[in-house]
């Protein structure tokens, strides 16, 4: 990709989903995938909150190119 983007996904289904088809964007953008199978809001809310907080507060570095042009005059 020419643009520096990354897509992280937090997937917390309560039933079956096809992970292979919905995680292609994260794989293509070098994003992270957090998977919580058999998610139950009453049991797993703390884990979801921790994962979301960690994902949003993590430092991210992208490749940068800087070109400087100068003249002799």
């Amino acid at each position: 990709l020419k643009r520096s983007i990354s897509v992280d996904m937090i997937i917390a289904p309560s039933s079956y989903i096809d992970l292979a088809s919905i995680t292609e964007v994260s794989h293509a953008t070098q994003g992270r995938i957090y998977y919580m199978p058999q998610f139950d809001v009453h049991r797993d809310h703390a884990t979801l909150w921790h994962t979301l907080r960690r994902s949003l507060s993590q430092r991210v570095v992208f490749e940068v190119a800087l070109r400087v042009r100068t003249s002799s005059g």
Side-chain angles (χ1 to χ4, degrees), residues 9-66:
M9 293 182 147
I10 299 175
I11 303 169
S14 59
S15 62
Y16 173 79
I17 60 167
D18 183 18
L19 284 177
S21 63
I22 63 173
T23 58
E24 290 184 28
V25 174
S26 287
H27 287 289
T29 62
Q30 301 299 310
R32 291 186 179 91
I33 299 167
Y34 303 96
Y35 179 58
M36 299 176 202
Q38 300 299 319
F39 181 78
D40 180 75
V41 70
H42 301 293
R43 180 190 66 215
D44 301 322
H45 69 280
T47 305
L48 177 63
W49 176 248
H50 175 73
T51 303
L52 182 61
R53 192 169 161 201
R54 180 178 49 187
S55 179
L56 293 175
S57 63
Q58 195 166 26
R59 292 181 187 223
V60 178
V61 178
F62 291 105
E63 181 180 339
V64 176
L66 173 66

